Amino acid sequence: MKSFLTTIYLLTMLLPSRLFAQSPDTLFAQKKQLIIDQVASNYTPPSPDIGDPEKYYWPFVMARLEKYGPQDSIANHWIAHFREHAPFHFTLVGMARIMSAYPAVPAMKEYRKQYLQEVFDRQDSYNAWTAEGTENHTNMTRTSAYLYAQHALNFPEAFPDARQKLQQMERWVRFWAKSLYTIGNGEWNSGIYAPYNIIGWLNLYDFAENAD
């Protein structure tokens, strides 16, 4: 017991000095890699028949692509598998990132237009452009819609209204950003919803071609 306590004491004394000796960027990169390795290699998503399966599969797919590259067979399998799903909030925000960050993935090349078609075809209250729901649902959906419209500009014959949709979403982004800075987010104190409120905005920051 004494030896164990001594070990704990030494670790407590030594670890902070080792941590502070590294730059914040180095620490961030290490933590990032730990998460990628854990999700890519050790996480098992639930059955794909569960509700909103992409909520669980898209982070898994992205971790696989980060660790194993665009040819990873498992990541490509799931991108192909979900191509006919009617898009929902978690489908939209995850696929918007996969489509934008990993354009070289073979399944993404093959099914990009089909995914876009599913987005543009949905007309009910869960459509990408005027989706209803809680704030995190709206933030995931409409920020993603901007990026889908941006991608659809590459297929003018299939999506002739892509430019109009892009402008519509830009107006919403500017309006909602101003509102957030004025009155804040109603779900600000939710440990569950707060991350989902910001994911779509991070996607915009990373991938919107319009710097403004």
Side-chain angles (χ1 to χ4, degrees):
M1 183 65 177
K2 184 177 180 181
S3 175
F4 174 74
L5 291 174
T6 302
T7 302
I8 295 297
Y9 174 77
L10 289 173
L11 286 174
T12 302
M13 295 297 292
L14 293 174
L15 279 178
S17 63
R18 290 180 60 88
L19 289 174
F20 288 123
Q22 301 179 73
S23 70
D25 288 345
T26 300
L27 288 172
F28 182 86
Q30 291 173 350
K31 292 176 181 178
K32 171 185 173 182
Q33 195 59 50
L34 283 172
I35 294 171
I36 289 171
D37 291 343
Q38 171 65 22
V39 177
S41 302
N42 300 317
Y43 173 68
T44 302
S47 166
D49 297 326
I50 195 173
D52 303 337
E54 292 89 345
K55 178 194 291 187
Y56 310 96
Y57 278 85
W58 288 159
F60 176 61
V61 165
M62 284 184 268
R64 296 284 307 187
L65 294 174
E66 285 289 327
K67 185 170 184 177
Y68 301 112
Q71 300 298 325
D72 180 65
S73 60
I74 295 175
N76 278 269
H77 167 78
W78 290 115
I79 291 172
H81 179 84
F82 291 121
R83 68 186 185 274
E84 296 180 351
H85 271 207
F88 190 60
H89 310 110
F90 300 102
T91 313
L92 290 166
V93 74
M95 180 47 60
R97 188 162 195 91
I98 293 172
M99 189 177 290
S100 302
Y102 310 100
V105 174
M108 189 73 266
K109 287 183 177 180
E110 184 172 356
Y111 299 116
R112 178 190 309 272
K113 187 175 179 181
Q114 185 170 349
Y115 270 105
L116 289 172
Q117 195 67 62
E118 293 289 340
V119 173
F120 275 74
D121 284 349
R122 184 150 198 177
Q123 301 296 323
D124 62 6
S125 61
Y126 294 125
N127 76 87
W129 325 106
T130 60
E132 300 172 4
T134 58
E135 285 178 85
N136 72 96
H137 288 156
T138 303
N139 284 322
M140 284 190 289
T141 300
R142 299 191 195 179
T143 53
S144 301
Y146 181 95
L147 294 176
Y148 286 119
Q150 179 177 280
H151 282 289
L153 294 175
N154 296 312
F155 305 96
E157 305 85 5
F159 309 105
D161 57 344
R163 178 71 61 183
Q164 179 265 324
K165 295 294 190 185
L166 188 70
Q167 293 170 348
Q168 176 186 348
M169 289 300 95
E170 180 175 346
R171 289 193 296 271
W172 177 83
V173 165
R174 293 181 181 277
F175 162 77
W176 195 248
K178 183 177 180 180
S179 298
L180 288 174
Y181 274 101
T182 304
I183 61 176
N185 190 318
E187 295 170 339
W188 68 273
N189 63 342
S190 170
I192 295 175
Y193 292 135
Y196 290 112
N197 271 308
I198 201 171
I199 292 171
W201 294 91
L202 293 175
N203 282 347
L204 281 182
Y205 180 85
D206 286 339
F207 304 116
E209 294 175 0
N210 181 342
D212 289 340

